[in-house]
Amino acid sequence: MRTLSFVFGLVLTATPLAVPSPASAAAGWTVSGPGGGVSARLALDDAGRLSFGVDRQGAPVLAPAPIGITTAGTDLSTGLTLAGRSSRTVRERYTRTTGKQLERDVTLAESTFAFTGAGGARLDVIVRVSAEGAAYRYVLPAGGTVTGEASSWTLPADAPAWLLPYNPNYENVRVQTTAGSAAAGDYGFPSLFQVGANYALLTESDVDGRYDGARLTHAAGSGAYRIVLADPGITATGPLATPWRVAVVGDLATVTSSMLTDDLAPPSRLTDTSWVRPGMVAWSWLSEHSSPSDPVRQKQYIDFAARNGWPYVLIDEGWNAAWVPEVVRYARARGVDVLLWLHWTSLDTDQERDTLLPRFRSWGVAGVKVDFMDSDSQDRFRWYDDILAATAAQHLMINFHGATIPRGIQRTWPHVMTLEAIRGAEQFRTRAATNTMFPYTRNVVGGMDYTPVTWAVTDRDTTDAHEVALALVYESGWTHLADRPETYEAHPEALRTLSRLPTVWDETRLLTGAPGRETVVARRHDDRWYVGGISAVAAHTVAAPLGFLGGGRYLAETLRDGDHGLVRESRIVRRGDTLEVPEPANGGFVTVLCAYTGAATCDRPVRRVPATTLTLDPSTTDVHPGGSVTVEAAFTLPAGGPITGVKLAARAPQGWTVRGPAVADSGMRGGDTLRGTWTFTAGAGVPTGATELPVAAEFTFAGDPGSPDTPGKRPVHVEEVVRALVPPADPSGTPAVSDLPFLTESNGYGPVERDRSNGESAAGDGNPITIRGTAYPKGLGMHAPGEVTVWLGGACTRFSAQVGVDDEVAQSGSVDFRVLGDDRELASSGVRRSADPAAPLTADVSGVRILTLRVTDGGDGKNFDHADWADARLSCGS
C-alpha cells in the first residue's frame, strides 16, 4: 500500500489580534480549493460565534450555519476571538485495494484558524477544500471531555433531499423529501441535498475510538440540520482532533465519483497489502438459511465457485469448528478461499481475538464477516480499532455487517473489503426506486455490501437485468452474490456476465441519471470499460455517451432484458458514439467494452484450477508426548497441466517439531508425482487430544488468467493432514465419564455440562441432572445434536448409564442416545421423550480405543432436546 502526503507552501500567518474582550468585530475568511471552483466561508459574528458555509462557482450551496464545540469546562461555540491563521497546500497520493478509483492524487487547500474563548481556552478550526467539496474539524489542544457540538448545515427549505432515517445499523428505508418537509428526527450519513444545479452530500470522515459517530437532527419545517453525537460525553486524554465534518459539493457526476471522505482519512496503517484480494463471493445464507451448518452443501457452493472463477465462499452463521478446517482445505485445493461469519461479541475481548483469529488463520481462512455491532458509540469505535489491528496482524480480510458507514476506513485499513450499512437484498424486499438512490448516497463513501443478484427475493419490482447490473453499479471489494448455484446456472447469460465482472475499479464515471430514477455508470478495470445501468422509471431507451473511450474500435457486448428473458447483443463502437440500450420499466443492463480484435466476444477465460491429489501415509496415528511419526506424502497431477513452481512442505503445529526438507519441482505434467518425507515429533508438554499434522503443496498453473481483480498468479494451496491423537492416560477402575477428559465435544446449545443438566447457553448454568423426579449426582448434560469422545485405550470392558430427557425442559423433547466405539455403533436407546422414565443403556466396550456418546434429535427438530447421560460410568482394568 503506497500512501504519500505532501505539504506545499506552508504559510504561517498566525499573527495575534489584539482584542481586549472575548467578543470581536464581525469577520469572515475564505478558503478556496484548487481551481477556485469550491470555496469555504468561515465567519465570526459580533458575539464571537462561528459559522461555516460552502460555495461553488461563486454561488452558495450551503449557507453559513453555526459551528462550534462544547466541553465539560468551556463553551467554545461563543465568545471566541481569532488568534491567528496559517495556510498550506496538501497533496494526497495513495493507492487503494478496493474502491471506484484505485490510484488517487488530489490537492487540497488548508487553513488553520486559532481561536481563544472564555478563560483563554484554545480552539483550532481546520478547513480543507478540494475541487470536490469542503470540510472542517476542531482541534482541542488541551483535550477534555466533549459534551456536544454546535456544528450544523443549512439548506434551502425547498431543496430536494434523499435522507436515511437514522438507526445505528443504517438499514432503514431511504426517503425522498425536501430539506424543510422532512419529518422531525435524526438522519444518518451520508445525506444528499439538491441546491439549484448543485448537490451537497453531507457526511463525516476520520472517525475512530478517540471520538464517536455523529448523525444529523432536524426540526420539521426548517432547512437546518444539526450534528448530534452518539454519546453524552467523549473523553480525550491529551490533544483531541475531532472527525471532519464533510460536504461533497458539485454536480451528480462529481458527487458519485468523489473520494473526499477517503482524502481526509488517515493514511494506510499497512505497509504490505499483497495478501489483500477482492473478488466475487458465493454466499448461501440468504437463499437457504440452514445451509451454513451443512458442510456437504458448502462444498457444493465451493465447487460452483471454482467452476465460475469466483475466488471466495462465505460460510455464514451455523458453521462448526469440527468441520470447517476440512472444508477450507477442500476449497483451497480448488482455488477458492473461505470466509467465516461471526457475531461481534465473539471477538470483543483481547483474549477472544488472540485465540480465535490465529486459529482461523491456521485453518487457512482468508477473512471474516463480523456482524451486529449496531452502535456508533465511542466504545464501539474503540472495538473497531482493536479488531482492525488484530485482523490485519493475522492477514485476515474483514467485512463489517450490522455496522456503521465507511468514514475513510478503507483507506486507513486496506483489508476492509466492504461494509453493510445498507438496506440490502437480505431484507427480502427490493425496490427499484431505492436501488437508484444508493449510487448517489451510501455507495459514494465506500464499499457497500448489498448482497445483490437474487432471484430468491420474490418481493421485488426489478427486472432480471436490473439485478445483474447491481453487481456492477454498486461498488464493493467483496461482492456477495446471494442466490443458489442452481439458480445462477438456470440463468446462464447472467452467470456468464457475473463470472467475468471485476469488483475493483481504476476509474469511475457517472454517464447519466438522477437519484430515485436512474443510474448509468462507467467503470474501468485495466484496459476495458464496463457500463452498468439500473432504472426506476418507465420503459425507455438509455442513451449513454462513450466519450470516455480511447482511440480505435471497441466491441460493446450488452446483457439486457429481452421479451423472453435476458439477451446478449454486440456492436462495434468508437469514442464519441452513443450506447443505446432499450430498458423496460425498472430494467437494467451491463455492457462490456473491449478493444475490437475481430473476436466475437469480450469474454476472457474463467480461472479453473487443475485437479490434483495429495495423499499422506499414515493418515491417522497416535503419538504420545515425546514420540514421533514419519509421514510420506505424494502429490500428483493426474492429467492435464502443466503446473509450475510446485513446492511440497510440512508444517509443525504448536508444540511439535518437524524434520525434513521441502521438495520442489519447477513444472509437473499429467501423470507426474512429487514425493516427500517428514518426521513430526510431539513436544513433552503438548496437550492431550486431537491434533492435525499438515503437509501442503503450492503451485501456479500455465494459462492461469488470474482473477479479474488480482494481476499475476494466485498460488493454489493443496493441503492434507495426518490426524494425530495425543492420548491421555488409560482410565482405570470404575470412573464416571464426567471425570474424564474429553477428546472432542459438540453440543446443540451451549457447552456439554459435567454433572449438571444442559441448562442454557453459558457454561455451568445447568441444574442437577433430574429425570422424572429422580436426581443423579454424576453424568453429562447435552443438547441434541451433540456428542463427546473420550479415550479408553482398550482398557475398559463395559459402559453403563441411565438416559432420558431432563425435567428442566418446559415442553416435550425427544432424543435418541447412541454409544459408539471406534466409530462403530455399539448400543442405542431409541427415541426417549420427556414423559419417559430413565432407561438403562449399556455397551460392551472391550478393546475400544475411543468411546463416543452421541445424542440426536429424535427426528422432530432439536427444540427442548435436553439429553441426560445420568450416572454414566465405565468398568476398566486396574
Side-chain angles (χ1 to χ4, degrees), residues 25 108 155 160 164 230 258 266 357 392 449 513 528 533 556 602 605 744 803 819 849:
L108 304 96
L155 288 305
L164 178 71
S258 173
L357 297 178
D449 194 11
R528 54 181 56 195
C602 289
T744 62
V803 298
V819 181
R849 295 169 59 255

Side-chain angles (χ1 to χ4, degrees), residues 147-231:
T147 56
E149 295 186 21
S151 311
S152 61
W153 303 99
T154 297
L155 288 305
D158 62 352
W162 294 266
L163 304 178
L164 178 71
Y166 177 78
N167 70 340
N169 61 20
Y170 296 80
E171 294 178 26
N172 280 335
V173 177
R174 192 170 284 270
V175 296
Q176 182 170 349
T177 180
T178 66
S181 62
D186 293 350
Y187 294 92
F189 293 128
S191 295
L192 180 67
F193 301 87
Q194 182 179 2
V195 183
N198 291 304
Y199 290 79
L201 185 81
L202 305 182
T203 188
E204 59 181 349
S205 178
D206 188 15
V207 183
D208 57 24
R210 74 184 186 279
Y211 216 70
D212 68 9
R215 57 187 180 271
L216 298 173
T217 192
H218 164 68
S222 168
Y225 286 77
R226 184 170 55 85
I227 295 288
V228 176
L229 303 178
D231 296 299

Side-chain angles (χ1 to χ4, degrees), residues 45-327:
D45 69 12
D46 291 336
R49 294 176 300 217
L50 287 168
S51 63
F52 184 87
V54 182
D55 298 345
R56 183 170 186 259
Q57 296 175 342
V61 179
L62 295 164
I67 68 171
I69 193 168
T70 60
T71 70
T74 310
D75 182 354
L76 293 171
S77 66
T78 188
L80 301 174
T81 61
L82 179 70
R85 173 185 179 179
S86 61
S87 299
R88 64 178 186 167
T89 298
V90 177
R91 185 179 178 188
E92 297 284 349
R93 292 173 57 188
Y94 55 94
T95 302
R96 290 274 303 271
T97 58
T98 63
K100 55 194 170 188
Q101 180 185 340
L102 295 184
E103 299 285 341
R104 180 67 166 171
D105 187 345
V106 65
T107 301
L108 304 96
E110 178 186 283
S111 286
T112 299
F113 299 86
F115 297 95
T116 56
R122 175 78 178 272
L123 170 68
D124 292 348
V125 178
I126 304 177
V127 177
R128 281 190 180 180
V129 185
S130 78
E132 296 174 357
Y136 66 90
R137 77 186 321 169
Y138 309 110
V139 176
L140 297 171
T145 298
V146 174
T147 56
E149 295 186 21
S151 311
S152 61
W153 303 99
T154 297
L155 288 305
D158 62 352
W162 294 266
L163 304 178
L164 178 71
Y166 177 78
N167 70 340
N169 61 20
Y170 296 80
E171 294 178 26
N172 280 335
V173 177
R174 192 170 284 270
V175 296
Q176 182 170 349
T177 180
T178 66
S181 62
D186 293 350
Y187 294 92
F189 293 128
S191 295
L192 180 67
F193 301 87
Q194 182 179 2
V195 183
N198 291 304
Y199 290 79
L201 185 81
L202 305 182
T203 188
E204 59 181 349
S205 178
D206 188 15
V207 183
D208 57 24
R210 74 184 186 279
Y211 216 70
D212 68 9
R215 57 187 180 271
L216 298 173
T217 192
H218 164 68
S222 168
Y225 286 77
R226 184 170 55 85
I227 295 288
V228 176
L229 303 178
D231 296 299
I234 298 170
T235 301
T237 56
L240 172 65
T242 72
W244 294 97
R245 306 289 164 226
V246 183
V248 180
V249 298
D251 57 19
L252 278 178
T254 300
V255 170
T256 53
S257 63
S258 173
M259 293 181 64
L260 182 57
T261 305
D262 297 296
D263 300 337
L264 296 166
S268 172
R269 302 283 182 88
L270 307 184
T271 56
D272 173 27
T273 58
S274 60
W275 51 277
V276 178
R277 293 192 178 107
M280 290 291 185
V281 186
W283 178 51
S284 67
W285 179 89
L286 185 145
S287 59
E288 40 184 334
H289 284 2
S290 64
S291 61
S293 63
D294 182 353
V296 173
R297 184 58 171 155
Q298 290 307 306
K299 287 182 178 181
Q300 292 171 352
Y301 274 82
I302 289 164
D303 291 340
F304 168 75
R307 288 195 300 272
N308 291 283
W310 298 5
Y312 297 104
V313 164
L314 168 63
I315 307 180
D316 212 282
E317 181 181 17
W319 60 266
N320 192 305
W323 52 258
V324 162
E326 192 275 327
V327 169

Side-chain angles (χ1 to χ4, degrees), residues 545-729:
L546 300 179
F548 53 83
L549 293 177
R553 296 188 298 170
Y554 286 78
L555 176 64
E557 196 171 359
T558 298
L559 180 77
R560 65 174 180 85
D561 295 298
D563 292 338
H564 304 288
L566 294 171
V567 297
R568 186 178 299 270
E569 54 194 21
S570 301
R571 58 178 287 204
I572 307 301
V573 297
R574 294 179 180 272
R575 180 177 183 173
D577 288 348
T578 297
L579 178 68
E580 295 186 345
V581 183
E583 279 187 332
N586 297 349
F589 71 94
V590 172
T591 296
V592 183
L593 294 127
C594 59
Y596 181 60
T597 61
T601 178
C602 289
D603 286 354
R604 286 172 168 163
V606 169
R607 184 178 193 264
R608 292 193 176 99
V609 172
T612 58
T613 63
L614 175 60
T615 58
L616 305 182
D617 184 24
S619 58
T620 62
T621 187
D622 297 340
V623 183
H624 291 272
S628 298
V629 59
T630 297
V631 177
E632 296 180 349
F635 176 69
T636 302
L637 175 66
I643 60 176
T644 54
V646 187
K647 180 181 178 181
L648 184 62
R651 175 170 52 88
Q654 187 173 3
W656 292 66
T657 59
V658 62
R659 297 193 313 275
V663 293
D665 195 330
S666 60
M668 294 174 60
R669 296 186 178 275
D672 289 351
T673 297
L674 182 64
R675 301 180 188 276
T677 301
W678 296 271
T679 298
F680 291 88
T681 300
V686 296
T688 61
T691 299
E692 294 182 339
L693 309 178
V695 178
E698 286 198 341
F699 65 90
T700 57
F701 57 96
D704 179 6
S707 77
D709 302 309
T710 308
K713 307 295 186 183
R714 285 195 293 133
V716 179
H717 183 95
V718 182
E719 181 176 297
E720 292 294 339
V721 296
V722 176
R723 290 174 172 81
L725 176 65
V726 180

Side-chain angles (χ1 to χ4, degrees), residues 82 248 258 287 298 346 417 422 450 520 550 567 653 733-734 755-756 811 819:
L82 179 70
V248 180
S258 173
S287 59
Q298 290 307 306
S346 298
M417 292 291 94
I422 188 70
Y450 180 90
V520 180
V567 297
T734 57
D755 303 328
R756 303 189 72 81
Q811 298 183 38
V819 181

